[in-house]
Amino acid sequence: MTTLWRMIKFGYQNFWRNIWLSLVTVLIVMLNLFLMSVVMGVNVVGQQTLIAVKQKVNLSVFFLPTISEQRVGEIGKELALKPEVASVKVTTRAENLQRLKNDPRYGSLVKSAVAELGENPLGASLEIKAKTLDGYATIAGYLRDKKYADFIDPRNGIVADNLQANNLLATIVHRIELAAAWLIVFFGLIALLMIFNTIRVNIYTQREEIGIMKLVGASDAFVRGPFVVTSIMYGLLASVLTTILLVPLLTFANPYFNQFFAGYSVDVLGYFQGHLLIILGLEVAVGCGLAMLSSLLAIGRYLRV
Amino acid sequence: MVTLEHVTKTYQKKNIGLEDVSVHIAPGEFVSIVGQSGSGKTTFAKLVIAEEKADRGKIIVGGWDITHVRHHAIPTLRRQIGVVFQDFKLLPKKTLFENVAFALEVAGQSTKRIASVVPQLLKIVGLEQKMDRFPDQISGGEQQRVVIARALAHRPKLLVADEPTGNLDSINAQEIIALLQKINEFGTTVVLVTHNREIVNMLKKRVITLDHGHVIADQRAGKYLL
Ligand SMILES: Nc1ncnc2c1ncn2[C@@H]1O[C@H](COP(=O)(O)OP(=O)(O)OP(=O)(O)O)[C@@H](O)[C@H]1O
Ligand SMILES: [Mg+2]
């Protein structure tokens, strides 16, 4: 216990003895952690957007006006039993008409057309959500089956809303993911090298103490421990400061995010605040992990005991 | 206390440190190791504290065969040997108290014990009044006495001193030797590496003379030969 405490004390002294070097190290590690967080953030936003857009993907099936709503409801129930289908919602003829009337682009046109015809020219429709994106093609396949095909409006009876946009986004998000992984490795390496070099300098400045420690019978762990402590101080400080720095930055940037993601349920600041502890934990884990690794490397390389 | 049997130590590029050296030092002895520069005196000292390893032969310290001592066992060995080396001076940013305490701290001694032992150690070397000073606030002779106090921190059975009087004038050197004699009288075996003819002749203790890595003389109550 005393030993551990003294190692922490010596590590702390190392930190202060090379205070400028320590500050520069913490700053650079901070910068890299920050960049890693930004990359991670872009990644998370991408995923969230993808989820948000996925929720807007569905298959709309418009039936002929001659098909009764009851029949459409039955078909809906049949489809709901298919393994690919997540949910099915029936929209009545009247609802479809109302929706079209409310559309500012067609509203007046539709109203006059209905007045002329004297009846609702629209059929009922089904809104189908698949469990996975691949499911939509399969479901569309069921609908093209003779069993249903005759009931469905042959011109544009099956419409996959947002499916293409979603596929494009999925590709982009996937690429971002890949780039993010490389960038994170890259920034991590820079942080690693920075701490490595600082510990190397620390070892060099302490070589007299190290020599004396060994001569008076300090154990290897005791000679090495303080340097690990010092580097963990770097990692800890850098990660906590980075997290603290992220709060005002995100608060500042949040209105822009909201503008960008208007209409989608993507809330960057909310996500950050909701996951603050996890994010802090992650930063600390990454910061301290890198610090441990680099100090162990430096010790192994430069502190031959 | 220290036994070397046919010990050979060769450095890189065939630099001979010691060659086929056999020496036995009994507990409680006071032995001076003398010889010209490069004759292997420091090599002898380093082998005894396992700072270097022998290429051939056998080394026993305090009944412990350290010829092939495991790396992790070295601290245990070092805590049984007091070491005074030329290049291990005091830490300039620590007080005398802290310098001596350092040896106990790194070995995991409790703070309470350190607080009681360090003043005793400084008292042995006559510096308990100055324990809050920094090394640059005392004389070279006093600094060397603090180094000896530090070497005594673990109450070693064996003290190895490599040229402890190297940079001192003869009066200060005499004081250091007197201190080593006092330590020896309390039962600690002392191995003193020195160049100083005056001291060796005055001591009238055992003298081992090295030359080119060989023992060329081993006298009971010897004189400086070369
Ligand atoms: N680390 C080393 N690498 C190579 N050769 C060495 C090393 N240390 C010592 N030697 C050589 O070993 C021989 C003995 O050296 P040692 O240091 O034991 O001599 P010494 O008697 O202590 O000399 P001095 O009185 O100058 O201190 C010398 O020839 C020296 O050059
Ligand atoms: Mg020497």
Side-chain angles (χ1 to χ4, degrees):
Chain A
M1 205 52 231
T2 327
T3 310
L4 184 69
W5 180 241
R6 285 199 187 121
M7 285 194 323
I8 293 172
K9 191 181 99 186
F10 286 180
Y12 179 80
Q13 284 171 353
N14 276 352
F15 184 91
W16 284 102
R17 210 172 279 183
N18 292 305
I19 183 65
W20 285 108
L21 187 64
S22 298
L23 286 181
V24 171
T25 308
V26 168
L27 263 172
I28 292 187
V29 174
M30 251 180 89
L31 183 69
N32 282 286
L33 278 177
F34 176 74
L35 290 173
M36 282 161 103
S37 315
V38 168
V39 168
M40 244 350 254
V42 169
N43 208 5
V44 168
V45 168
Q47 309 276 2
Q48 293 288 309
T49 316
L50 197 57
I51 292 170
V53 172
K54 249 179 207 165
Q55 279 162 359
K56 294 211 166 184
V57 173
N58 60 44
L59 206 61
S60 296
V61 186
F62 295 96
F63 289 84
L64 295 168
T66 50
I67 310 300
S68 73
E69 279 169 2
Q70 197 193 347
R71 182 78 189 100
V72 171
E74 279 163 18
I75 294 173
K77 273 178 198 144
E78 275 173 45
L79 286 171
L81 295 176
K82 302 284 186 197
E84 294 85 1
V85 176
S87 69
V88 178
K89 204 182 110 210
V90 182
T91 311
T92 61
R93 299 178 61 191
E95 275 168 353
N96 274 331
L97 183 66
Q98 193 56 44
R99 195 186 287 168
L100 213 55
K101 274 184 183 167
N102 289 342
D103 189 322
R105 282 172 297 176
Y106 310 114
S108 53
L109 198 72
V110 171
K111 276 174 201 157
S112 58
V114 171
E116 211 158 293
L117 284 168
E119 62 164 0
N120 182 353
L122 299 174
S125 65
L126 291 178
E127 218 169 78
I128 304 169
K129 277 194 192 293
K131 282 179 187 150
T132 66
L133 286 176
D134 301 331
Y136 287 106
T138 321
I139 296 168
Y142 295 140
L143 292 166
R144 273 186 220 105
D145 192 274
K146 263 200 237 78
K147 206 165 127 199
Y148 303 122
D150 293 344
F151 307 147
I152 297 172
D153 190 328
R155 276 166 296 133
N156 36 23
I158 304 174
V159 182
D161 298 304
N162 295 326
L163 186 59
Q164 256 167 352
N166 183 81
N167 283 343
L168 181 67
L169 188 67
T171 317
I172 294 171
V173 168
H174 184 68
R175 289 211 184 126
I176 290 177
E177 239 171 48
L178 207 71
W182 281 110
L183 282 173
I184 284 174
V185 169
F186 177 70
F187 294 135
L189 268 179
I190 295 181
L192 195 87
L193 278 176
M194 187 64 207
I195 300 178
F196 178 86
N197 190 53
T198 304
I199 294 299
R200 190 179 67 89
V201 174
N202 272 328
I203 291 172
Y204 185 76
T205 4
Q206 306 296 103
R207 64 198 182 286
E208 272 199 344
E209 269 98 329
I210 294 170
I212 292 169
M213 281 163 109
K214 287 195 234 166
L215 225 50
V216 297
S219 66
D220 291 359
F222 195 89
V223 176
R224 289 171 168 159
F227 295 104
V228 180
V229 171
T230 310
S231 76
I232 288 181
M233 280 180 70
Y234 297 146
L236 200 67
L237 214 64
S239 51
V240 171
L241 287 177
T242 305
T243 315
I244 292 174
L245 191 73
L246 281 172
V247 178
L249 256 145
L250 278 179
T251 314
F252 174 76
N254 202 43
Y256 300 98
F257 286 132
N258 284 344
Q259 215 171 332
F260 187 75
F261 293 110
Y264 291 95
S265 57
V266 175
D267 178 7
V268 179
L269 186 63
Y271 183 89
F272 180 78
Q273 284 164 343
H275 297 73
L276 190 59
L277 276 182
I278 296 172
I279 289 171
L280 180 66
L282 245 147
E283 298 272 3
V284 169
V286 171
C288 292
L290 283 173
M292 285 267 268
L293 185 65
S294 51
S295 64
L296 289 179
L297 287 173
I299 288 167
R301 178 96 175 67
Y302 297 104
L303 190 61
R304 296 247 166 269
V305 285
Chain B
M1 177 56 49
V2 179
T3 304
L4 274 71
E5 290 174 11
H6 305 291
V7 170
T8 295
K9 168 74 197 174
T10 314
Y11 293 103
Q12 299 122 314
K13 296 178 188 158
K14 306 225 167 107
N15 260 321
I16 292 173
L18 286 182
E19 197 170 26
D20 194 25
V21 167
S22 295
V23 165
H24 178 75
I25 297 170
E29 270 195 277
F30 190 122
V31 181
S32 303
I33 313 262
V34 301
Q36 282 172 345
S37 189
S39 57
K41 306 183 295 294
T42 299
T43 305
F44 183 97
K46 284 185 172 170
L47 285 168
V48 170
I49 63 164
E51 172 99 348
E52 296 282 0
K53 282 201 171 171
D55 303 318
R56 255 173 292 140
K58 194 169 171 187
I59 303 173
I60 298 165
V61 174
W64 181 7
D65 187 341
I66 61 155
T67 319
H68 305 291
V69 66
R70 290 283 177 82
H71 182 76
H72 62 80
I74 290 178
T76 315
L77 175 71
R78 298 269 168 88
R79 287 175 204 177
Q80 294 168 26
I81 307 175
V83 183
V84 179
F85 265 28
Q86 284 160 305
D87 41 350
F88 290 103
K89 309 205 168 65
L90 299 174
L91 297 171
K93 285 183 187 152
K94 288 186 189 285
T95 64
L96 306 191
F97 179 93
E98 288 164 343
N99 263 288
V100 176
F102 189 64
L104 294 158
E105 277 182 5
V106 303
Q109 298 280 348
S110 75
T111 311
K112 206 173 130 209
R113 196 175 140 69
I114 292 173
S116 79
V117 169
V118 174
Q120 289 173 28
L121 289 165
L122 285 167
K123 195 168 179 193
I124 294 174
V125 300
L127 286 169
E128 77 272 32
Q129 303 299 331
K130 300 185 177 176
M131 63 184 187
D132 294 325
R133 296 213 197 166
F134 287 90
D136 61 3
Q137 295 169 337
I138 58 174
S139 75
E142 287 172 326
Q143 286 180 20
Q144 198 60 292
R145 271 146 61 189
V146 179
V147 172
I148 292 171
R150 184 179 67 194
L152 296 176
H154 299 300
R155 316 235 161 219
K157 292 270 188 313
L158 172 65
L159 184 74
V160 179
D162 189 357
E163 314 242 14
T165 59
N167 302 319
L168 302 178
D169 60 42
S170 81
I171 294 179
N172 273 311
Q174 298 287 354
E175 273 184 20
I176 295 295
I177 299 304
L179 180 57
L180 292 179
Q181 279 180 299
K182 190 168 115 192
I183 291 162
N184 179 242
E185 275 157 24
F186 283 116
T188 300
T189 311
V190 176
V191 175
L192 167 69
V193 171
T194 183
H195 266 130
N196 195 318
R197 170 189 297 268
E198 202 185 332
I199 286 171
V200 174
N201 291 342
M202 182 205 77
L203 274 169
K204 298 193 176 61
K205 300 260 177 159
R206 184 174 170 196
V207 178
I208 296 172
T209 309
L210 293 177
D211 187 42
H212 291 98
H214 294 272
V215 176
I216 57 163
D218 187 346
Q219 305 154 282
R220 276 290 123 202
K223 290 207 166 184
Y224 199 95
L225 287 179
L226 302 165

